[in-house]
Amino acid sequence: GQVRAEAVSGRLELTGVQGSVEAETTSGDITATGEGERARANTTSGGVDLSGYAGQEVEADSTSGNVAAGGFTEADLSSVSGDVEVHSSQELQTLTVETTSGNVRAQVPEGPYDVSGDSTSGDREIGVDTSPDADAQIRIDTVSGSVQLSRS
């Protein structure tokens, strides 16, 4: 089944979820573990950790906090002033990451990727096979953060 949790001020910890997750908090961290079709987490002031959740689709957003994701096929991750970490051994179709002043470290399975994105004032280290014809797409945009993309 689906789990939906909401808090204004406080930590949301959802463990062993079997199904989709939707979690939202104004001030507090969000952690979810388990598996399901989709996980969606949003916090204004706090971190989001979905690294222990395996799902087809993962969406995580934090204004001032770190974001972490693990097993997924499609992911859309963003943080304004926090780092984004991805450690996925699952074959992926799409990974989109956006930060303003946070670093991005992503480890993805071996394979060719169509890699795109911009970094205004951060270093970009791309350590995966790239091809504009690859089925899997990775887009990473940062303003003042560095990008490190490597094989898991």
Side-chain angles (χ1 to χ4, degrees), residues 13 84 135-136:
E13 191 165 334
V84 176
D135 291 336

Side-chain angles (χ1 to χ4, degrees), residues 2-44:
Q2 181 173 345
V3 174
R4 177 161 169 65
E6 201 170 321
V8 173
S9 178
R11 175 183 175 88
L12 292 177
E13 191 165 334
L14 310 168
T15 57
V17 175
Q18 296 297 310
S20 294
V21 171
E22 194 167 326
E24 190 171 338
T25 178
T26 303
S27 176
D29 294 340
I30 298 171
T31 304
T33 64
E35 61 182 45
E37 185 178 327
R38 178 179 332 158
R40 186 173 292 148
N42 184 305
T43 181
T44 302

Side-chain angles (χ1 to χ4, degrees), residues 16-101:
V17 175
Q18 296 297 310
S20 294
V21 171
E22 194 167 326
E24 190 171 338
T25 178
T26 303
S27 176
D29 294 340
I30 298 171
T31 304
T33 64
E35 61 182 45
E37 185 178 327
R38 178 179 332 158
R40 186 173 292 148
N42 184 305
T43 181
T44 302
S45 176
V48 176
D49 185 354
L50 301 176
S51 61
Y53 182 87
Q56 166 120 9
E57 205 178 307
V58 172
E59 187 179 315
D61 180 45
S62 174
T63 302
S64 64
N66 296 336
V67 173
F72 56 83
T73 307
E74 299 176 32
D76 189 350
L77 312 170
S78 67
S79 179
V80 174
S81 63
D83 294 343
V84 176
E85 284 214 29
V86 175
H87 297 284
S88 183
S89 56
Q90 189 171 321
E91 188 176 317
L92 62 96
Q93 293 174 350
T94 308
L95 170 60
T96 305
V97 180
E98 191 174 333
T99 71
T100 301
S101 63

Side-chain angles (χ1 to χ4, degrees), residues 112-138:
Y113 295 94
D114 180 0
V115 178
S116 63
D118 296 307
S119 295
T120 305
S121 65
D123 295 334
R124 291 178 75 84
E125 185 181 314
I126 308 300
V128 298
D129 294 333
T130 61
S131 168
D133 300 325
D135 291 336
Q137 297 182 339
I138 297 175

